[in-house]
Amino acid sequence: MAWTKTTRKHYRRSGLRYASDMTDKEWMVVKPLLPKRGRIGRPRTVKLRAIVDAILYILATGCQWRALPKDFSPYATVQHYFYTWRDSGVLRRINRVLVERVRRAEGRKRTPSAGVIDSQSAKTTESGGPRGFDAGKRVKGRKRHIVTDTGGRVLAVQVHPASIQDNHGAVPLLRYVGHAFPKLRHIFADRVYRGNKLLDAIADLGKWTIEIITRSQSVGSFRAEPKRWVIERTFAWT
């Protein structure tokens, strides 16, 4: 997206308390997608917009839960809502609705029929969950394994030790995509996903096509790979 006077004004966040906070228009989109207050139990005393803003602050800054600024709700409260929404599928549903709305706004079908898969190994600390060594990238940590639509919007995410090969790590990821997006059966991928093992592992979901896009051999210059460049951009965003 090219930055122009119009786009800069539209995406300017200088009037917010924190740059990660939602605007009023953004909140009006997200608000209906959050769970309603239950009829039993104690009345809710926190505002959900403040909870979402706190989660987005954690996402944007990467700070520890305990380092959450004091003008947010207590970190334990924010943490509780985050884990509850994650485990109950609320965050997954919000992401799907937003993807569908953006696709409709672009004049495309609501659900995609093709996607792109790739992984990215990232270093991690010695604590905080399982980790492994990616011999190819020489990285000790975990892999972010994602599937996007052909516009680069995230459809599914799987995080696993970096030692797991992409062909194996892709199985649960594509199985989720196969159930969540029944019309998506065409995947663009690089050479590590070639062969029949991956196709055989997901064959019970229907006929899949994994189209291998080979990396260009140009040296000394960057070249965007056809079809797959969108997922590289998504990794750059994160």
Side-chain angles (χ1 to χ4, degrees):
M1 179 185 67
W3 285 107
T4 64
K5 290 184 178 180
T6 302
T7 55
R8 285 185 184 279
K9 182 179 180 180
H10 181 72
Y11 292 104
R12 183 179 297 137
R13 314 192 72 80
S14 56
L16 302 173
R17 178 186 50 170
Y18 298 107
S20 56
D21 286 352
M22 289 181 297
T23 64
D24 292 338
K25 288 184 178 180
E26 290 168 346
W27 171 241
M28 293 306 295
V29 173
V30 173
K31 182 180 179 180
L33 305 177
L34 296 175
K36 304 298 182 182
R37 188 182 64 170
R39 295 184 178 181
I40 59 176
R42 292 183 299 175
R44 181 185 294 158
T45 58
V46 297
K47 295 182 178 180
L48 292 187
R49 181 172 182 174
I51 296 296
V52 176
D53 281 342
I55 293 173
L56 292 176
Y57 182 90
I58 292 282
L59 174 66
T61 64
C63 72
Q64 298 172 329
W65 285 107
R66 293 178 182 271
L68 194 65
K70 298 299 183 182
D71 51 348
F72 287 115
S73 299
Y75 83 89
T77 302
V78 179
Q79 198 175 47
H80 166 76
Y81 275 94
F82 172 74
Y83 288 138
T84 300
W85 291 345
R86 181 198 64 182
D87 297 341
S88 62
V90 171
L91 299 180
R92 201 176 290 126
R93 184 170 67 251
I94 290 175
N95 180 75
R96 176 167 181 165
V97 170
L98 294 180
V99 168
E100 291 176 350
R101 290 188 178 185
V102 172
R103 290 179 60 86
R104 290 289 293 273
E106 294 178 348
R108 308 178 71 179
K109 292 184 178 180
R110 186 168 55 90
T111 57
S113 59
V116 190
I117 189 171
D118 204 355
S119 72
Q120 182 185 59
S121 296
K123 293 181 179 180
T124 62
T125 61
E126 295 183 3
S127 60
R131 58 202 293 259
F133 183 70
D134 181 348
K137 302 293 180 58
R138 303 191 67 81
V139 171
K140 192 169 186 179
R142 286 187 282 274
K143 281 184 180 178
R144 308 179 182 111
H145 217 145
I146 67 174
V147 175
T148 71
D149 67 359
T150 53
R153 290 168 284 268
V154 176
L155 304 178
V157 178
Q158 179 81 14
V159 179
H160 54 72
S163 55
I164 296 179
Q165 295 183 2
D166 287 354
N167 244 344
H168 298 154
V171 174
L173 190 61
L174 291 183
R175 292 192 70 84
Y176 167 76
V177 169
H179 288 293
F181 302 94
K183 294 182 179 180
L184 199 163
R185 290 295 182 270
H186 192 106
I187 295 290
F188 297 101
D190 62 16
R191 295 179 66 255
V192 298
Y193 299 94
R194 67 186 185 278
N196 293 324
K197 288 186 177 180
L198 178 56
L199 288 172
D200 292 342
I202 57 176
D204 59 306
L205 299 177
K207 185 179 179 181
W208 290 75
T209 300
I210 299 182
E211 183 175 340
I212 304 301
I213 307 296
T214 57
R215 187 175 296 275
S216 62
Q217 299 300 317
S218 57
V219 178
S221 61
F222 171 79
R223 181 178 179 182
E225 306 299 333
K227 303 294 185 180
R228 287 186 54 249
W229 71 269
V230 295
I231 202 168
E232 302 291 350
R233 182 184 60 179
T234 302
F235 279 129
W237 286 339
T238 59

